[in-house]
Amino acid sequence: MEHDLNHHIVSAFDRDLEGIQARIMKMGGLVEEAIINAAKSLETRDEELAERVRSGDAIIDALENQLNEEAARVIALRAPTAVDLRVVLSVMRMSANLERIGDLSKNIAKRTGVLVQMQPIGGTAASLRRMAREVELMLKDALDSYIQRDEELARDVIERDRDVDQMHNTLFRELLTFMLEDTRNITACMHLHFIAKNIERMGDHVTSIAEQVVFLKTGEKPGEARPKMDVTSTDAALTGANGLSESED
Amino acid sequence: MEHDLNHHIVSAFDRDLEGIQARIMKMGGLVEEAIINAAKSLETRDEELAERVRSGDAIIDALENQLNEEAARVIALRAPTAVDLRVVLSVMRMSANLERIGDLSKNIAKRTGVLVQMQPIGGTAASLRRMAREVELMLKDALDSYIQRDEELARDVIERDRDVDQMHNTLFRELLTFMLEDTRNITACMHLHFIAKNIERMGDHVTSIAEQVVFLKTGEKPGEARPKMDVTSTDAALTGANGLSESED
């Protein structure tokens, strides 16, 4: 009898968790779409698509609220064990990361509205689209790694964030050159730089999701000693003009 | 007997919560110090102070980890009611906000190391220090409002974030002017702009803490309809060059 009762409780928790995970996957899908569409609207100068990204963010925000409510309800109702509790709390953190990525996509879409009124700056919009595509693929893999509890895939995602940082640094130097060449480019370049920075920060949020997968599997946070921080910082201090540090850690 | 047992459980939770709140106040104090010292190191070109901010961030990160562990332990052990659970979860979110502010302070301190090698740009370092001071005062009040569950004070903090946004926009236009005036200023101005942006984002994190206080008191999130988003966005779309949107929502 007692065994049955326990069994029943475990199953109820599993069912709840499945519901929560389905919702986070839905949220993840919308966020992936927002990343891609924000970058695409910029490159194709599609104001209508940009507006869709901006208005679509409300749905992502609503999903985060629902996820938080649901997670709190599950904790209160099921009183999960330490390990299960960790899973639920990680979902709450992941949804916060996803919500931030949604915000950053929305911000890019806002800037599209301003940038269409200015001259395009070289091939920077295409570079930004490639960067966004890379982050979107990382997010897809990070979410897969969560569902499959695939530590190796999660670590792969964390590694790939360096490529995004690299792309960002290259683009940043390019934008500096455009500004130095012609001061009339400065305003557009500043917008483009904000966009690059937003995509780079998306990469950090995706990395944070992947780090939580590693944490769930190993109990250790790979983020504690992420190599990129120190390198970027030293780089900035040594090279000055060219190595503006982008790391916020 | 049952009443006594309940009473005992409630007290244990309250004791735990007190411990957690003491730790978050400690974390908040360190973060306030980091904000002030980061801005001060920039204005006084004090590389030693900047280094103290950079290395001190590890303590803030450790406190966040401890808080998360403690909060998870309390949830698992005490199975708090819905309301108490909300308090514990809000502490976890607040500690995440504080940790991010610590990161942003560290990033400012990193840039100090680069900026001391360049010419100062007008009175921008002093403006940044004033902005940082404002954010630090907001943080102090946000933490007080949490401890005292003072909704009015929390709403006041949320209002004041507009001043920070305003200071940021003014400073941003000033930096644009310096860049247009002399392209040799561009690199330093970009660093200063990153710093301004970091302080503005600190303000957003403080606002998020204050919003959680309002949520705890009223069950409603004041953030859902924060007026500043739309204003900034419209402003940017209309005015182009001068009204670069800084909002990320």
Side-chain angles (χ1 to χ4, degrees), chain A residues 65 69 72 75 85-86 103 107 110-111 172 190-191 193-194 201 221 244-249, chain B residues 65 69 72 75 85-86 103 106-107 111 172 190-191 193-194 201 221 244-245 247-249:
Chain A
N65 283 338
E69 291 296 322
I75 294 171
L85 177 63
R86 193 153 280 176
D103 279 353
N107 185 261
K110 279 186 188 175
R111 292 181 194 283
F172 180 67
M190 288 299 277
H191 275 297
H193 170 65
F194 278 124
R201 282 170 59 203
K221 287 193 186 170
L244 277 160
S245 167
E246 297 307 308
S247 160
E248 273 149 22
D249 299 280
Chain B
N65 283 338
E69 291 296 322
I75 294 171
L85 177 62
R86 192 152 280 175
D103 278 354
K106 182 181 174 183
N107 184 261
R111 291 181 194 284
F172 180 66
M190 289 299 278
H191 275 296
H193 169 65
F194 278 125
R201 282 170 60 202
K221 285 192 188 170
L244 275 161
S245 167
S247 161
E248 272 148 24
D249 299 280

Side-chain angles (χ1 to χ4, degrees), chain A residues 1-242:
Chain A
M1 183 66 182
E2 198 179 287
H3 177 263
D4 275 352
L5 188 66
N6 278 336
H7 184 72
H8 176 74
I9 290 170
V10 170
S11 298
F13 173 79
D14 286 346
R15 259 202 316 280
D16 286 346
L17 190 62
E18 249 174 61
I20 287 177
Q21 287 185 339
R23 205 186 290 276
I24 206 144
M25 286 302 120
K26 186 180 168 189
M27 193 179 169
L30 290 177
V31 170
E32 279 184 49
E33 211 175 80
I35 298 172
I36 290 297
N37 285 340
K40 194 178 164 194
S41 76
L42 175 72
E43 195 184 13
T44 60
R45 305 187 144 236
D46 185 340
E47 286 195 75
E48 208 178 298
L49 185 59
E51 171 50 33
R52 265 209 331 265
V53 174
R54 291 196 291 267
S55 58
D57 191 52
I59 302 166
I60 294 169
D61 288 352
L63 276 170
E64 195 214 359
N65 283 338
Q66 283 169 27
L67 267 163
N68 276 328
E69 291 296 322
E70 239 172 82
R73 198 182 56 82
V74 168
I75 294 171
L77 208 63
R78 312 288 178 208
T81 61
V83 175
D84 287 342
L85 177 63
R86 193 153 280 176
V87 174
V88 179
L89 293 176
S90 78
V91 170
M92 295 176 87
R93 274 183 217 137
M94 282 171 54
S95 73
N97 287 126
L98 288 174
E99 192 268 339
R100 293 297 297 132
I101 299 174
D103 279 353
L104 293 164
S105 303
K106 183 180 174 182
N107 185 261
I108 292 174
K110 279 186 188 175
R111 292 181 194 283
T112 291
V114 184
L115 279 165
V116 292
Q117 301 162 33
M118 303 175 188
Q119 280 290 104
I121 305 289
T124 49
S127 301
L128 287 166
R129 195 242 310 136
R130 279 192 295 276
M131 226 179 125
R133 172 73 180 150
E134 182 59 34
V135 168
E136 185 257 341
L137 289 174
M138 279 169 62
L139 176 56
K140 197 183 159 304
D141 286 346
L143 293 169
D144 283 352
S145 79
Y146 173 74
I147 290 295
Q148 293 154 21
R149 298 289 190 277
D150 184 338
E151 184 192 339
E152 204 180 323
L153 185 57
R155 288 196 186 272
D156 182 52
V157 169
I158 296 167
E159 274 302 306
R160 276 147 65 193
D161 193 39
R162 292 198 209 187
D163 297 339
V164 176
D165 291 344
Q166 190 52 51
M167 287 164 105
H168 174 256
N169 285 337
T170 304
L171 186 62
F172 180 67
R173 279 194 290 272
E174 211 182 320
L175 288 170
L176 265 190
T177 313
F178 280 116
M179 287 196 261
L180 290 166
E181 245 173 50
D182 187 343
T183 52
R184 283 169 301 178
N185 289 332
I186 285 182
T187 306
C189 283
M190 288 299 277
H191 275 297
L192 291 165
H193 170 65
F194 278 124
I195 291 172
K197 183 77 188 147
N198 281 355
I199 301 174
E200 188 259 348
R201 282 170 59 203
M202 287 178 186
D204 290 344
H205 284 290
V206 174
T207 300
S208 159
I209 292 173
E211 283 173 352
Q212 280 168 64
V213 176
V214 176
F215 182 62
L216 281 178
K217 286 285 283 190
T218 66
E220 274 170 37
K221 287 193 186 170
E224 312 283 64
R226 255 163 84 198
K228 78 161 192 175
M229 312 174 192
D230 288 347
V231 175
T232 328
S233 143
T234 323
D235 192 41
L238 290 178
T239 62
N242 282 334

